[in-house]
Amino acid sequence: MTNLRRKLPPLTALTVFEAVARLGGFTRAAAELGVTQAAISRQIHLLEETFGFPLFRRLHRRVELTEKGKQLSSTATTAFNLIAETISEWSREEAEEDLAIAATIAFSHFWLLPRISSFSKAHPTIRLRIITQDNAVKVDGEDVDLAIRFGTGIWPDGDAEFLFHDEIFPICSADYAQEIGEIEHLAQLTRHPLITNDTADPTWTDWAEWFAAFSVPMPSKSSGMHCSFYTEAIYAALNGHGIALGWRRLVEDLLTQNRLVRLTRQAIVTQNAYFFIAPRRKARKKAVDLLIDWLKREASIPDPS
């Protein structure tokens, strides 16, 4: 290493030379490197003194490479490009370890986050970023590697693959269920507070659609709490404010823990389903394939109930 350093010119001066040669002038090189033109001149003069011959011909308002200057410029450009490519490759490898997943608030909160630690334990070098919002995050941008959505499976911004269907039934807290007693007829549900939530998703099933599936008239008014998000509706049910619609895939952990209970045997199976969507317009990271395999395994785990 010591012998190599003795053979090389000052690296700062060589960097300045490469910029001047590539840009064709001291002024442009000074602007690119963020120094004064005088500083550029000093570094070039130092380099020429080191070599003992000129690298540039000073012409009127411009400089021109000498023959030896041209040789050094070609070699320096090749060397700097090789260094830049190596660093760029490191950056790509580093980026391979970052994985951004988009999901709705409810799916992220109740299904993804309680399970994702098993993926992280199996792949500790992959840094996960969960993008949580109910408005669909487009996967054809640069920030999302995989999205999970509920719907038809047809979206213009990515390739969708089926994950699972869901089924929907009334749920409430264990204490509330004991308080109201057994539900023998579905019409009995309408006498109790029905918890609802806002949604901009036309594929989301609400109480009116659920009752209609069993030919039960929906009351014109309900005394139940109205929430902005499904997560809030579930927490309202957990705290005994009434009856909510439980999407089994989302609330199955709460059912297993007996924090929520299912009130009826009747349920409707969703026509739509959950899908994961990968971008079409960018190369898929290896980490995405690992996540997809993990999602498929988790989706295939049978209902504990």
Side-chain angles (χ1 to χ4, degrees):
M1 179 61 72
T2 301
N3 291 337
L4 179 61
R5 286 178 179 173
R6 287 176 180 173
K7 293 177 181 179
L8 290 173
L11 292 182
T12 300
L14 190 60
T15 302
V16 169
F17 166 78
E18 189 277 333
V20 174
R22 174 168 43 83
L23 298 171
F26 288 17
T27 303
R28 291 178 180 175
E32 179 178 283
L33 297 175
V35 298
T36 64
Q37 189 170 342
I40 296 291
S41 296
R42 284 194 299 271
Q43 292 295 328
I44 296 299
H45 181 68
L46 172 62
L47 202 58
E48 290 177 328
E49 279 194 336
T50 301
F51 291 139
F53 50 78
L55 297 169
F56 295 97
R57 298 185 186 93
R58 275 71 170 175
L59 305 175
H60 182 61
R61 294 187 178 179
R62 66 187 180 90
V63 293
E64 184 179 272
L65 285 166
T66 64
E67 286 305 313
K68 288 185 177 179
K70 290 177 182 177
Q71 293 174 16
L72 182 60
S73 173
S74 176
T75 302
T77 298
T78 299
F80 285 146
N81 283 338
L82 286 172
I83 294 170
E85 287 174 7
T86 298
I87 294 172
S88 178
E89 183 63 30
W90 290 346
S91 298
R92 283 194 294 271
E93 290 174 358
E94 187 75 8
E96 281 286 329
E97 300 301 305
D98 292 329
L99 192 59
I101 315 161
T104 63
I105 297 171
F107 190 91
S108 176
H109 190 93
F110 292 122
W111 196 91
L112 184 61
L113 288 175
R115 292 167 172 77
I116 199 67
S117 62
S118 67
F119 177 83
S120 295
K121 289 176 182 177
H123 308 285
T125 62
I126 297 176
R127 290 181 297 274
L128 296 172
R129 181 164 65 94
I130 311 298
I131 302 171
T132 303
Q133 63 182 60
D134 280 348
N135 294 328
V137 177
K138 291 185 177 181
V139 297
D140 56 2
E142 295 183 357
D143 293 336
V144 178
D145 297 302
L146 197 72
I148 301 169
R149 293 181 191 158
F150 181 82
T152 62
I154 302 173
W155 291 283
D157 60 331
D159 296 315
E161 189 170 342
F162 174 80
L163 193 57
F164 48 66
H165 285 289
D166 211 340
E167 60 176 328
I168 307 169
F169 42 77
I171 56 171
C172 65
S173 69
D175 289 344
Y176 193 84
Q178 186 174 5
E179 179 184 328
I180 65 176
E182 184 179 356
I183 301 295
E184 296 181 353
H185 305 287
L186 293 183
Q188 291 177 251
L189 294 171
T190 63
R191 305 170 194 166
H192 299 281
L194 302 177
I195 303 170
T196 59
N197 64 277
D198 293 328
T199 179
D201 185 353
T203 64
W204 190 262
T205 299
D206 58 13
W207 274 113
E209 182 180 348
W210 195 88
F211 279 125
F214 300 100
S215 301
V216 176
M218 175 75 180
S220 56
K221 290 185 178 181
S222 172
S223 59
M225 182 180 294
H226 185 79
C227 304
S228 296
F229 301 102
Y230 184 70
T231 48
E232 295 172 351
I234 294 303
Y235 279 108
L238 282 167
N239 286 282
H241 290 288
I243 304 170
L245 281 175
W247 293 59
R248 181 179 66 81
R249 288 285 192 165
L250 300 185
V251 301
E252 58 188 358
D253 288 346
L254 297 171
L255 293 171
T256 301
Q257 298 161 11
N258 204 39
R259 297 178 63 194
L260 290 173
V261 296
R262 178 173 176 170
L263 283 176
T264 68
R265 291 181 293 100
Q266 291 89 344
I268 64 173
V269 176
T270 58
Q271 292 183 342
N272 294 309
Y274 284 97
F275 295 82
F276 57 82
I277 305 97
R280 294 193 186 105
R281 300 179 184 177
K282 64 178 181 180
R284 182 182 292 185
K285 298 176 182 177
K286 294 178 182 178
V288 172
D289 291 324
L290 294 173
L291 179 63
I292 288 174
D293 290 341
W294 175 83
L295 284 169
K296 289 178 177 179
R297 287 195 301 271
E298 288 293 320
S300 66
I301 295 174
D303 176 13
S305 62

